[in-house]
Amino acid sequence: MGEKENGKLLTLGVDLGGTKVETALVDASGRILASRRRLTHPEKGSDGVIAEIVACVEGCVGEAGKEARGLGVGVAGQVDRSGTVRFGPNLGWHNVPLGVRLEEALGMPVVVINDVNAATWGEWQHGAGRGVDDLVCLFVGTGVGGGIISGGRLLEGCHNTAGELGHMTIVNGGRHCHCPNRGCLEAYAGGWAIAERAQEAARADPQSGQRLVTLAGSIQQISAATVTQAYREGDAMANRLVEETAQYLAAGVVSIVNAFNPCLLILGGGVIQGLPDYVSAIERPVRENALKAAVESLQIVTAALGDKAGVIGAAALARNTITKSA
Ligand SMILES: [Zn+2]
């Protein structure tokens, strides 16, 4: 395929989660030409969800009046190299051959990967990581996930599950995680864990926790967003929670940069978007505590594509796959 033809080629990206499916038609520069967002209905089974994806794709292509040559899908879950979703907890899926099913329905090549790896592709190809071939993305949202680009390739691992950076142990025997382990980075810095820690703190010291409870309505309703809001108001307990979260994040990032020696660490996800102060807060402890050689050329930046990283990255992955096989 000629470079000129490749430059005009359009691909589709899908970001499939437990609550919504987002679809976009994307050009070679990562620009979104048309997009669709729908709520997913996992209770209708995989057939229903696949029909929703097909409807979104047809809506996008119809709106733009242009043809797409391939489709990339990022799914919240474990995906094997054949495009089968081995386990998608939010969708209630086990062994759904999503890639094959969508190829049959749409008549175009389809590639399927994990949603966090799709977002990593997006930041690498069109976001904060453009032109950098050794980078790590760490997405801190409700959960914590990551993706590793090493030597210009996405690190996949033996069973295509590499990049689960949220489940590195930072406190041996520490807080319970949603995985079988305890003390994971996610169990301290994920949005659900920040909420748990804040609720515990407010219960232990009701007087200091008063502002958090007032903002949330009750102790049980305190969320990571409540902590951010109280922190912005200068609340002392929220300030302490944010400082501790930054320390946990820094501990995780020290291990990440020691292990992978990226040129660039990109921090994204809802918790970071809500409070970008985390990026500057971890800078010093990471530089002090990581191996000197590992941080010598390291830059730490904020993700550029926000919640569009997944669709843009999935479309970029589809483009890469088509171009390679042409
Ligand atoms: Zn874990």
Side-chain angles (χ1 to χ4, degrees):
M1 188 182 298
E3 204 169 298
K4 196 172 168 199
E5 192 191 338
N6 179 29
K8 286 184 185 164
L9 185 145
L10 303 180
T11 53
L12 288 147
V14 171
D15 190 357
L16 176 60
T19 57
K20 63 163 182 58
V21 54
E22 188 157 358
T23 305
L25 183 66
V26 181
D27 72 10
S29 66
R31 195 163 53 103
I32 294 177
L33 305 180
S35 63
R36 284 284 185 284
R37 179 190 278 240
R38 279 194 179 206
L39 296 180
T40 41
H41 301 281
E43 70 282 1
K44 290 185 192 165
S46 58
D47 287 349
V49 173
I50 289 169
E52 282 156 3
I53 296 172
V54 170
C56 278
V57 164
E58 286 169 349
C60 266
V61 172
E63 181 192 319
K66 286 178 176 146
E67 204 187 329
R69 293 280 302 279
L71 172 71
V73 189
V75 188
Q78 289 158 18
V79 182
D80 73 14
R81 289 190 176 89
S82 73
T84 291
V85 180
R86 288 288 164 209
F87 179 44
N90 305 332
L91 292 157
W93 284 11
H94 289 273
N95 298 317
V96 175
L98 182 62
V100 171
R101 299 278 307 278
L102 285 171
E103 279 186 355
E104 283 167 5
L106 295 165
M108 66 173 81
V110 175
V111 282
V112 185
I113 57 167
N114 165 271
D115 60 343
V116 180
N117 280 337
T120 299
W121 255 88
E123 289 293 339
W124 176 36
Q125 294 293 308
H126 299 296
R130 257 180 302 178
V132 180
D133 280 343
D134 288 282
L135 64 83
V136 175
C137 284
L138 184 67
F139 295 102
V140 186
T142 306
V144 178
I148 298 133
I149 305 291
S150 184
R153 290 167 60 101
L154 177 76
L155 192 72
E156 295 176 341
C158 179
H159 275 286
N160 212 28
T161 71
E164 293 284 2
L165 302 174
H167 298 290
M168 73 168 81
T169 305
I170 58 167
V171 180
N172 191 30
R175 298 180 67 85
H176 282 283
C177 189
H178 291 167
C179 77
N181 204 1
R182 300 174 64 146
C184 298
L185 173 59
E186 175 172 312
Y188 290 86
W192 65 262
I194 295 173
E196 269 187 19
R197 287 170 40 228
Q199 291 170 15
E200 287 167 17
R203 243 178 235 117
D205 182 356
Q207 203 177 349
S208 305
Q210 189 53 52
R211 188 62 196 146
L212 285 170
V213 176
T214 305
L215 284 171
S218 68
I219 287 187
Q220 299 90 302
Q221 287 171 294
I222 295 174
S223 66
T226 317
V227 175
T228 297
Q229 196 181 344
Y231 168 82
R232 289 191 195 290
E233 293 177 1
D235 178 70
M237 181 175 278
N239 191 57
R240 196 188 51 159
L241 287 161
V242 166
E243 273 177 12
E244 287 168 0
T245 305
Q247 285 166 15
Y248 293 125
L249 272 175
V253 169
V254 164
S255 297
I256 291 168
V257 301
N258 283 341
F260 300 108
N261 183 211
C263 303
L264 187 65
L265 179 85
I266 300 173
L267 286 169
V271 168
I272 304 292
Q273 274 178 45
L275 195 53
D277 294 13
Y278 280 123
V279 180
S280 49
I282 68 164
E283 183 92 35
R284 208 183 69 173
V286 167
R287 291 196 188 278
E288 280 175 2
N289 298 325
L291 295 169
K292 196 165 177 294
V295 289
E296 222 161 38
S297 306
L298 176 73
Q299 268 192 294
I300 303 176
V301 299
T302 313
L305 302 179
D307 58 4
K308 300 293 177 212
V311 280
I312 293 172
L317 174 67
R319 165 182 306 278
N320 180 268
T321 309
I322 297 166
T323 315
K324 267 201 312 207
S325 61

